Amino acid sequence: MNIRPLLAALAALVFSASSAAEDGYDLWLRYSAIVDRSAADAIAEIAVAEEEDSPILQTARSELKRGLDGLLKTELASTRANGARDRAILLGTSRAPVIAKLGLPLESLGSDGFVIRTLTTDGARSIVIAGKSDKGALYGVYHFLRLVQTGQPLAALDIRSQPRTQLRLLNHWDNLDRHVERGYAGQSIWDWHKLPDWLDPRYTDYARACASIGINGAVLTNVNANATSLTPEYIDKTRALAGVFRGYGVRVYLTARFSAPIELGGLKTADPLDPEVRAWWKKKVDEIYAAIPDFGGFLVKANSEGQPGPQDYKRTHADGANMLAEAVAPHGGVVMWRAFVYSNESPSDRAKQAYDEFKPLDGKFASNVLVQVKNGAIDFQPREPFHPLFGAMPKTPLMMEFQITKEYLGFATHLAYLGTLFEETLDADTRVKGKGSTVAKVIDGELHGYAITGMAGVANIGADRNWSGSHFDQANWYAYGRLAWDPELSSRDIAEEWVRMTFSNEPEFVKPVVEMMMGSREAVVDYMMPLGLHHLFDTGHHYGPGPWVNDLNRADWNPTYYHQADERGIGFARGPKGSNATSQYAPEIAKIFADPKKTPEQFLLWFHHLPWDYKMTSGRTLWHELVVHYTRGVDQVAKMRETWDRMRAFVDAERFEQVAAFLRIQQDEAQWWRDACIAYFHSINKLPLPAGFAPPKHSLEQYKARKFPYAPGRG
C-alpha cells in the first residue's frame, strides 16, 4: 500500500489546523515551533553573563529568547549568570569573567567572530554562545537559532566562525522620492518625508534580517546620487535610521554626488585637487560625523552613465577617491569607488574599459579606499565570466559588487536562485598566483593581503509586504549575506538552510525544492541568453527580449553590438584577432578564453564570433545547440511548476498560490523569450529550424511590437 498520499493529506490537515496564513514578512526568521523536541530537552533557560550591558547585547538576549520561545513553544526564563548553569544557554563576551575563564579562542576570531560550544562545567551541561565583541555574540545567537531551526544536533557543538570580509553591505538604489531604480518590490522602505520623527517598525525588522545573516552596513541612497541627501535636513533623517540600526550592528553609508560642492556649496568647481573643494568636503564630513559618530563612509559612482566625476577636470579616479578618503579618514570612514565606468564615446569593447581605466591606478589609492567591482565586465548579466580586474590590482582592495535585485533575470516574477551565480563567480580561478587563486581569495584579502575587505549587494528590498516582491527572491538576499560572511560556502547548503527556515523541514519538501532552486538560474540563462550571449534586452526596461534593437544613440546600448549576429555567424570576438579583451586575464586564463576549442561553452559567444555551423562538443551545430538551449530553458520552467504543484501540502495557501502564479508567468515569458530570439536569429541566418523543435508561435514583427513603457524599476 502506498501511504505517501495519506501522509501528505494528514500533513496538510495538521498544517491548516495549526498555522495561520503567512505573507512572507517574517522572512527566514519565522521561529515556528519545531517537531523535534531534543532541543527543548537541552535548553531550560537563557543565562546572560554578568557584564556591562549594551544595545547590541540587549538585542542578542531578546532575539535569543524570541527565537527559542517560538521554536520550542515555551516561555524560557532569562537570568543573569556568574557561573555554570545546567541546561542553560550561556550568552556573553570575553569581557565577562564567567566567559573569560572558559578559555575560548575568542581573541583569534576578531571583533565579529563567535564560538558556540557545548560544555560541562562543575557538573552543569550548557551551551555557550560567546564573542570577543557584542556583535560577535549577536552573530553567534543568529547562527545558533539557525541550527535549531534547521534541526541540527546540539549535543556536541564546537563551532568557531568569523567573517572572511570586513564590510558586508547592501547597496540600496533608492531615490529620495521612494522610487527604487531596478527595484521590483514596490517603493523604497525609507520614508524620507516622515523621517526623522516617524520610525517605521519595519526599519527594525530590516536591521534584524540583515544582522541575522551577518550584513553590517547599508548604503541608503542610489549610486546615481542626489546631493540633497547631504543637506542638514537629510543628515538628520539618516541619523534617525542609524539610531535604529545601531543595536543590530548595522552602520549607515551614503552615496556622494561628486558635484555636491557646486550644487550645495556654491563653489564654481568640484575639482578634487582644488583646496576649496577639499575644504568643503572636510567640513561636510565633519558635519555628518557630528550627527552620526559611527557613519561608515561614502559609495561613489563617478564618470559613468553621465554622473559627474574627477575626469570632468582631467583628474583620475584615484584623485577623486583620495579627496573623499582624506575627509573621512580621521573618523575611521571608508570610500567605496565603483569601477563600473564607460565613457561617453563608445569604446571598441565596453568590457575592457574598467580594466583599462583602473589597472594603471593600482597602488595610487588611499589606504581607506576600496574599488568596488561588478562580478562581470558588462552589467550583471544572467551569466558573465569573472571581471578581469579581480587579481589584477594587488595593491588596491577590490570589493565585490553583486546584484541581488534581478534587473536582468526576470524581475520579481521569475524564480532564479542567485546563490549559484554568486558561487560561480567566487569560485572562478584567476590563476594570477597559480592554481587556486580564486576570486573569493582576492576579495577576502588572502591572495594580496588587503588591509580592508568587503562585498556589496544591490538590494532587492522594497515596501512590498514580503520585502522582495516574491517569496523566492528572499533567498537571494539570504544567500548574499551568507556568502559575504564566507565566500566559500556552498550555494546548495545555503539554499537548504533557507528552505528549512522559510518553509519546512520535511524531507519530502526540502529535497525537491532545493533541486528546483539549484537549476533555476541555469534555466533563465538558457531561455534568455545561452552559450555566452549577453545584453539581448529590449530598450530601457531590461525585461523582455530585444536582440533586434540597433537604433539607440550609442553602439554599446544596442543588443546588436553584443551578439554581432550576421549571415556568417554570431558572437563578440574578444580574442587576439578581435578586441583582445582576453589579454586582460592572467596568461593561463587568457590562453583558454582566446581559443574557442578551450573556452567553456557557457562563455563561448562572449569571447568568440563563430559560424552558425560551428561544431559543438555535443556534435550539433552552433545553431542547433542554441535552439536546444532555448527550448531546454522553457522545459525546465515547466518542470519547476510541476515540482511546486506537488508541494501544496507543505506550504500555507497564501505563499503557495503566489509562487504558483509567478511560475505560470515565468513559463509564459520563458516561451516568449525563446520564440522571439529564435525568430530573430532565424531571420539573420535563414537556416531551417532543427528537426523536432516547434517554430515560434508568432511572427518576428509581433515580438518586436511588444513594449513596456511602464515596467517597474526603470532607471
Side-chain angles (χ1 to χ4, degrees), residues 132-161:
K132 177 182 176 182
S133 74
D134 302 353
K135 286 195 295 181
L138 176 63
Y139 295 138
V141 162
Y142 281 118
H143 189 85
F144 178 74
L145 291 172
R146 186 181 302 126
L147 298 177
V148 180
Q149 283 177 281
T150 56
Q152 305 305 307
L154 308 180
L157 295 173
D158 189 7
I159 296 169
R160 307 178 191 185
S161 182

Side-chain angles (χ1 to χ4, degrees), residues 258 270-278 313-315 319-320 323:
F258 201 80
D271 183 346
L273 300 189
D274 185 286
E276 285 190 273
V277 173
R278 300 175 84 88
Y313 306 95
K314 299 187 174 5
R315 311 300 187 191
D319 292 330
M323 173 194 65

Side-chain angles (χ1 to χ4, degrees), residues 420-604:
T420 57
L421 186 158
F422 304 156
E423 183 180 38
E424 181 180 295
T425 301
L426 293 166
D427 286 352
D429 198 340
T430 71
R431 299 293 179 100
V432 295
K433 286 191 173 182
K435 189 174 182 180
S437 302
T438 62
V439 172
K441 291 178 180 178
V442 173
I443 64 166
D444 73 8
E446 180 179 339
L447 204 62
H448 302 306
Y450 295 155
I452 49 175
T453 58
M455 189 185 295
V458 180
N460 64 348
I461 297 160
D464 281 6
R465 181 68 183 170
N466 67 11
W467 296 90
S468 57
S470 78
H471 297 292
F472 273 87
D473 279 357
Q474 296 175 0
N476 297 330
W477 179 8
Y478 182 86
Y480 163 75
R482 297 288 283 129
L483 286 165
W485 183 276
D486 183 352
E488 293 187 347
L489 289 175
S490 156
S491 64
R492 179 180 291 274
D493 290 347
I494 293 169
E496 182 169 333
E497 284 178 0
W498 178 82
V499 167
R500 289 179 177 277
M501 297 164 73
T502 305
F503 288 110
S504 171
N505 272 307
E506 294 295 332
E508 295 87 353
F509 179 86
V510 173
K511 184 176 180 180
V513 172
V514 169
E515 289 299 325
M516 179 180 75
M517 291 172 67
M518 292 301 294
S520 60
R521 177 256 183 154
E522 198 65 38
V524 176
V525 172
D526 275 344
Y527 65 68
M528 284 188 179
M529 284 161 279
L531 301 176
L533 289 173
H534 49 290
H535 233 311
L536 303 189
F537 298 91
D538 204 354
T539 305
H541 50 73
H542 298 165
Y543 187 63
W548 46 79
V549 175
N550 64 356
D551 59 352
L552 302 179
N553 293 335
R554 290 172 53 109
D556 58 340
W557 288 352
N558 293 294
T560 54
Y561 168 88
Y562 294 100
H563 63 67
Q564 302 279 309
D566 56 29
E567 66 276 7
R568 296 181 300 276
I570 186 173
F572 199 117
R574 292 193 167 101
K577 295 181 180 179
S579 73
N580 204 26
T582 54
S583 68
Q584 294 183 335
Y585 292 92
E588 191 175 349
I589 299 298
K591 288 180 182 178
I592 294 172
F593 287 159
D595 184 346
K597 295 296 184 183
K598 296 178 181 178
T599 301
E601 287 189 350
Q602 63 188 20
F603 299 129
L604 190 63

Side-chain angles (χ1 to χ4, degrees), residues 194-204 237 240-241 243-244:
K194 294 175 184 172
L195 285 165
D197 299 312
W198 166 244
L199 295 175
D200 192 318
R202 193 179 185 112
Y203 303 155
T204 300
K237 295 172 186 288
L241 289 173
V244 175

